[in-house]
Amino acid sequence: MVDPKSLFSLSDHLEALSKEGDPLEILQQAVDFEYFRAWLVEGLGYGDGARGGRPPFDPVMMFKALILQAQHNLSDARMEFMIRDRLSWMRFLGLSLGDRTPDENTIRHFRNRLTETGTLKRVMKAFDWQLQKKGYIPMSGQIVDASLVPAPKQRNTEGEREAIKSGKSAKEIWPGEPAKAAQKDIDARWTLKIGGKVRYRADGTPLPMIALPVFGYKSHISIDRRFGFIREMAVTSASAADGRLLRQVVSTDNTGSEVWADSAYRSKRNEKWLSDRTLTSRIHRRKPMGKPMAKATARANAAKSSIRAHVEHVFAHQKNRFGLFIRTIGLARAEAKLTLCNLAYNFNRLIFHERRESMG
């Protein structure tokens, strides 16, 4: 039996959290989580309970738990602990003291089920519809970019690396070691991250750049210029060329025709593809080989950069606040991780706009 005094004390604690400005209460008010229930139930394939057994956890509650996990970059085991540990999290999830809480296996299975059925992608699109109903219509053009997301480094022999590049599965590469094969990520790749701004000598030749090796995946997104929400996304290995993903992340739903991107996206094929869809390219122009960049081109690129920089703020938010890092194995699970991260960012972006609107 629960002591009435302890319930009164719990109520006082929760009231104090609210007075301090619990960000999860603000999130709960800004996002209609019940809006996602139909998509979640359909994707999970829940039955009517006629066969008996322990009833599953509420899908909306579990989805909210995945958002919390994405915002704090927690492992499944750590997520299990934090749900039990934090009163504000329990309130956000609709749990009371004494309620059964999901363990790490339940969290993992729920996320995997949403991944396997493609439900996460549909939920992200459903939230975009919710945004548009609130008046946040994609407008003023769109900005495209990609960012590297590291994953745990793999220690493979030269022969194993060649087998991975040839397209063999983990079971084929390590046939007698199922445990080892299960821990090997054959989808992630190494690439070089070129850091810093390109600087040139007086004669127009570029100065050497710093190149850092990165192992993992690449997050490709496009945001609308007006509100800054992530509208489209794609996930590839870290070695994928940015320009090849332009068609997957550019949307024709934006009321503006302009598309901003860095020079990695400039190619004759991409320019023609944009033109065929009456979209206006605002993609950076490359410096001519062995020649200094024309002043007019440099000024045009600088003007584009002032707009394109907004998409960098998205990646900075995800990496600095969410601590973005791929803990899972395989492209499908990496895509699920980044989809949840992009949803979490959009939720925070909505709170930003709602607060600004309320303050006038």
Side-chain angles (χ1 to χ4, degrees):
M1 183 175 179
V2 180
D3 185 353
K5 292 183 179 179
S6 66
L7 290 177
F8 180 76
S9 177
L10 175 61
S11 177
D12 284 347
H13 281 306
L14 292 174
E15 185 177 345
L17 287 173
S18 298
K19 288 181 179 179
E20 291 292 329
D22 181 1
L24 294 181
E25 279 195 311
I26 299 170
L27 176 59
Q28 184 78 18
Q29 294 164 7
V31 179
D32 180 9
F33 283 98
E34 280 298 316
Y35 183 79
F36 305 119
R37 183 175 293 279
W39 281 275
L40 293 169
V41 171
E42 180 183 355
L44 293 165
Y46 281 174
D48 58 6
R51 297 178 63 181
R54 176 179 286 187
F57 285 101
D58 180 75
V60 175
M61 183 274 288
M62 290 296 297
F63 173 64
K64 290 161 75 174
L66 293 186
I67 294 298
L68 284 174
Q69 185 179 29
Q71 288 179 331
H72 296 82
N73 192 33
L74 300 175
S75 66
D76 295 332
R78 187 62 181 172
M79 188 64 195
E80 175 187 348
F81 171 80
M82 294 300 291
I83 292 174
R84 295 172 178 169
D85 183 64
R86 288 197 176 180
L87 288 176
S88 60
W89 286 28
M90 292 188 73
R91 176 169 65 179
F92 175 66
L93 298 176
L95 297 171
S96 300
L97 291 177
D99 283 350
R100 184 168 64 100
T101 58
D103 60 19
E104 61 176 299
N105 290 328
T106 302
I107 295 169
R108 183 175 64 256
H109 290 319
F110 182 83
R111 185 179 57 251
N112 288 347
R113 181 62 180 165
L114 294 185
T115 304
E116 293 162 1
T117 59
T119 303
L120 280 178
K121 292 181 180 178
R122 291 194 289 273
V123 167
M124 186 163 183
K125 184 58 66 176
F127 183 61
D128 193 59
W129 295 335
Q130 187 179 143
L131 288 174
Q132 295 192 41
K133 287 182 179 180
K134 287 175 172 285
Y136 300 106
I137 300 170
M139 58 177 64
S140 303
Q142 52 200 307
I143 309 170
V144 177
D145 204 358
S147 181
L148 293 170
V149 184
K153 297 179 179 65
Q154 303 283 294
R155 307 297 181 184
N156 300 319
T157 65
E158 185 65 32
E160 291 169 343
R161 287 196 292 270
E162 289 301 321
I164 291 172
K165 290 179 181 178
S166 68
K168 289 186 178 181
S169 68
K171 290 182 180 179
E172 291 174 323
I173 301 171
W174 297 280
E177 302 174 275
K180 183 176 181 179
Q183 296 300 316
K184 288 294 185 178
D185 192 339
I186 61 172
D187 293 329
R189 292 289 186 274
W190 285 97
T191 191
L192 289 176
K193 180 180 180 181
I194 310 299
K197 183 179 179 181
V198 181
R199 301 185 184 279
Y200 300 93
R201 298 184 180 91
D203 61 0
T205 58
L207 290 166
M209 300 288 290
I210 298 174
L212 298 174
V214 177
F215 181 82
Y217 294 90
K218 190 175 286 186
S219 172
H220 307 258
I221 64 170
S222 68
I223 66 171
D224 66 284
R225 183 186 173 192
R226 173 64 181 85
F227 297 111
F229 288 105
I230 299 171
R231 302 291 182 169
E232 299 290 344
M233 63 163 287
V235 180
T236 65
S237 70
S239 62
D242 295 355
R244 294 181 181 179
L245 275 293
L246 182 75
R247 303 181 186 190
Q248 293 189 34
V249 295
V250 167
S251 170
T252 55
D253 295 337
N254 200 292
T255 61
S257 65
E258 295 173 300
V259 177
W260 285 267
D262 65 31
S263 60
Y265 293 88
R266 180 167 283 278
S267 69
K268 290 182 179 179
R269 290 184 62 187
N270 282 344
E271 293 297 307
K272 184 179 185 304
W273 185 84
L274 292 172
S275 178
D276 290 345
R277 285 153 184 80
T278 65
L279 295 172
T280 305
S281 173
R282 292 288 182 258
I283 301 175
H284 280 227
R285 292 189 177 275
R286 294 190 177 95
K287 176 185 169 296
M289 185 70 70
K291 299 179 182 178
M293 182 175 286
K295 291 183 178 180
T297 303
R299 285 196 296 268
N301 279 353
K304 294 171 185 175
S305 292
S306 64
I307 295 172
R308 198 182 63 79
H310 289 89
V311 74
E312 298 291 348
H313 300 162
V314 178
F315 294 129
H317 183 103
Q318 292 180 327
K319 291 181 178 181
N320 295 335
R321 294 191 60 181
F322 297 170
L324 186 56
F325 183 83
I326 300 296
R327 299 177 183 274
T328 54
I329 296 172
L331 180 62
R333 292 177 179 176
E335 185 175 21
K337 165 75 175 182
L338 291 171
T339 301
L340 287 165
C341 188
N342 290 341
L343 269 168
Y345 173 81
N346 279 351
F347 290 167
N348 286 2
R349 188 70 183 171
L350 176 60
I351 291 172
F352 166 78
H353 284 297
E354 298 283 277
R355 277 178 165 173
R356 189 168 66 173
E357 183 70 21
S358 65
M359 294 173 65

